[in-house]
Amino acid sequence: MSSDCLGCKLANGEVITHVIYEDEVITCFLDIAPMNEGHLLLLPKKHYLDLDELDDITAAAILKASSKLSKIIKDIYKPDGVTIIQNGGKFNDLQHYHMHVFPRYEADGFAWVEPEDKNNNKNRLEETKERILNHIKKNNFEIKEVKVLIPEELSELLTESAEEGFRHIHRLINDYIAGINKFNNEGEALFECRVNNRVIGICGLNQDPYFGEGIGRVRRLYIMKEFRRHGIGRKMTEAVINKAKKHYRKLLLKTDNPVAGEFYKTLGFEEIMNEEKMTHCLVLI
């Protein structure tokens, strides 16, 4: 709660309002300048400015309450519709997240004014779609260490990597199923990247089988083509590096792909020449 925020004071009962509903997370009360009778404001008790700042519990509480209150408004006022809106950033006059819920009637004076469309946005919808989707691909992903691999979930990676002429995902799956390499020894790990619960990338860390103790090896990195150039491969490799720092002095890898080789250099790996079992090395300590 912010001591100088009017929204915090309203939501926490420090300013008198006409409260309709309250729980431990949110407060709902009548707007003092209603668009129509029954105009409600929903505020979280904790201080937030915009929708994207809300924690999951608060967001769920607001959505649940707005649904129930909309039904109540319909039952009491029999409106032509219900409008639910909220303004963010500079347009949030309260500087505290709040949602408006109010009944609507034909010719009640509230209007959504169609813009002049000076930027020709209506004819650029495909471009807009691609811009938003690309941003989602770049940012809406989760990388986590997996303890149990489900081979069936790698079907897209397997198909696409084979089409590109790579066999390392096929080998990863076969070795895992056969128990040859489950990435479960001390200092080992397997990381998946998911977008909307779809596995779109993978990378592993093994004890190095060639150069003795204290050496780790990056294994089986692959990112699906449509998700490349969004920093996912870098973040997956960084996850492996951070894990390796806890167990190894050096981290090695082998690649015959020049583009991949340059990528690893940007992460601090040094190119090693004339060595059969490795092409790059990163000193960790």
Side-chain angles (χ1 to χ4, degrees), residues 113-274:
V113 179
E114 293 294 333
E116 294 183 28
D117 197 15
K118 295 179 180 179
N119 296 319
N120 196 30
N121 292 320
K122 65 182 179 182
N123 293 320
R124 297 170 51 245
L125 297 180
E126 188 63 29
E127 178 185 338
T128 302
K129 169 190 164 185
E130 290 302 316
R131 184 177 185 182
I132 294 173
L133 288 178
N134 283 334
H135 185 82
I136 291 173
K137 289 176 182 177
K138 182 177 180 180
N139 295 280
N140 189 35
F141 61 86
E142 178 186 19
I143 296 171
K144 65 178 182 179
E145 183 177 345
V146 292
K147 300 301 183 182
V148 178
L149 179 69
I150 302 175
E152 293 78 11
E153 294 186 340
L154 304 187
S155 59
E156 286 188 276
L157 272 69
L158 177 61
T159 299
E160 187 175 289
S161 62
E163 290 174 349
E164 289 193 277
F166 301 128
R167 292 187 52 80
H168 61 295
I169 300 302
H170 180 269
R171 185 171 179 181
L172 181 151
I173 294 172
N174 284 351
D175 286 354
Y176 188 90
I177 293 173
I180 297 172
N181 186 4
K182 285 184 170 289
F183 297 89
N184 59 356
N185 293 320
E186 180 68 23
E188 296 188 336
L190 186 63
F191 293 89
E192 287 181 345
C193 180
R194 290 177 179 262
V195 173
N196 297 325
N197 206 35
R198 173 187 175 199
V199 180
I200 60 91
I202 199 157
C203 189
L205 171 65
N206 281 139
Q207 297 175 3
D208 189 90
Y210 308 110
F211 293 95
E213 294 184 2
I215 309 295
R217 182 170 288 259
V218 181
R219 306 299 293 271
R220 316 304 188 207
L221 174 63
Y222 188 79
I223 309 297
M224 293 184 66
K225 288 187 289 186
E226 66 177 292
F227 294 96
R228 294 173 192 169
R229 300 187 181 278
H230 294 305
I232 295 175
R234 173 175 291 274
K235 289 187 179 297
M236 293 205 74
T237 309
E238 287 174 345
V240 168
I241 292 171
N242 289 333
K243 178 79 173 184
K245 286 178 178 178
K246 301 175 183 178
H247 301 276
Y248 304 112
R249 294 179 288 106
K250 293 181 179 180
L251 188 59
L252 310 180
L253 63 90
K254 181 177 180 179
T255 180
D256 56 6
N257 185 325
V259 175
E262 291 302 313
F263 162 73
Y264 287 118
K265 286 183 184 179
T266 67
L267 286 162
F269 283 83
E270 178 185 355
E271 186 174 8
I272 306 298
M273 307 299 292
N274 303 318

Side-chain angles (χ1 to χ4, degrees), residues 65-79 82 101:
S66 65
S67 176
K68 289 184 176 180
L69 293 167
S70 294
K71 186 177 187 308
I72 291 171
I73 286 174
K74 289 179 180 179
D75 289 344
I76 296 174
Y77 297 106
K78 305 297 188 292
V82 175
V101 182

Side-chain angles (χ1 to χ4, degrees), residues 16-134:
I16 295 175
T17 60
H18 296 86
V19 176
I20 301 298
Y21 172 80
E22 181 179 12
D23 60 26
E24 64 275 11
V25 179
I26 62 172
T27 301
C28 175
F29 51 86
L30 293 175
D31 193 314
I32 60 172
M35 176 64 209
N36 287 309
E37 183 180 343
H39 185 156
L40 305 173
L41 292 179
L42 267 167
L43 278 71
K45 292 184 175 180
K46 186 177 177 181
H47 183 73
Y48 300 98
L49 176 62
D50 285 333
L51 176 65
D52 57 286
E53 298 175 3
L54 301 178
D55 61 55
D56 291 344
I57 293 175
T58 303
I62 290 173
L63 181 61
K64 184 177 180 180
S66 65
S67 176
K68 289 184 176 180
L69 293 167
S70 294
K71 186 177 187 308
I72 291 171
I73 286 174
K74 289 179 180 179
D75 289 344
I76 296 174
Y77 297 106
K78 305 297 188 292
D80 296 321
V82 175
T83 288
I84 299 176
I85 60 173
Q86 61 91 199
N87 294 312
K90 293 182 179 180
F91 306 101
N92 183 344
D93 54 351
L94 193 57
Q95 291 299 290
H96 181 106
Y97 177 86
H98 60 288
M99 175 185 284
H100 295 261
V101 182
F102 55 91
R104 291 289 315 285
Y105 307 92
E106 291 186 14
D108 63 8
F110 184 85
W112 179 280
V113 179
E114 293 294 333
E116 294 183 28
D117 197 15
K118 295 179 180 179
N119 296 319
N120 196 30
N121 292 320
K122 65 182 179 182
N123 293 320
R124 297 170 51 245
L125 297 180
E126 188 63 29
E127 178 185 338
T128 302
K129 169 190 164 185
E130 290 302 316
R131 184 177 185 182
I132 294 173
L133 288 178
N134 283 334

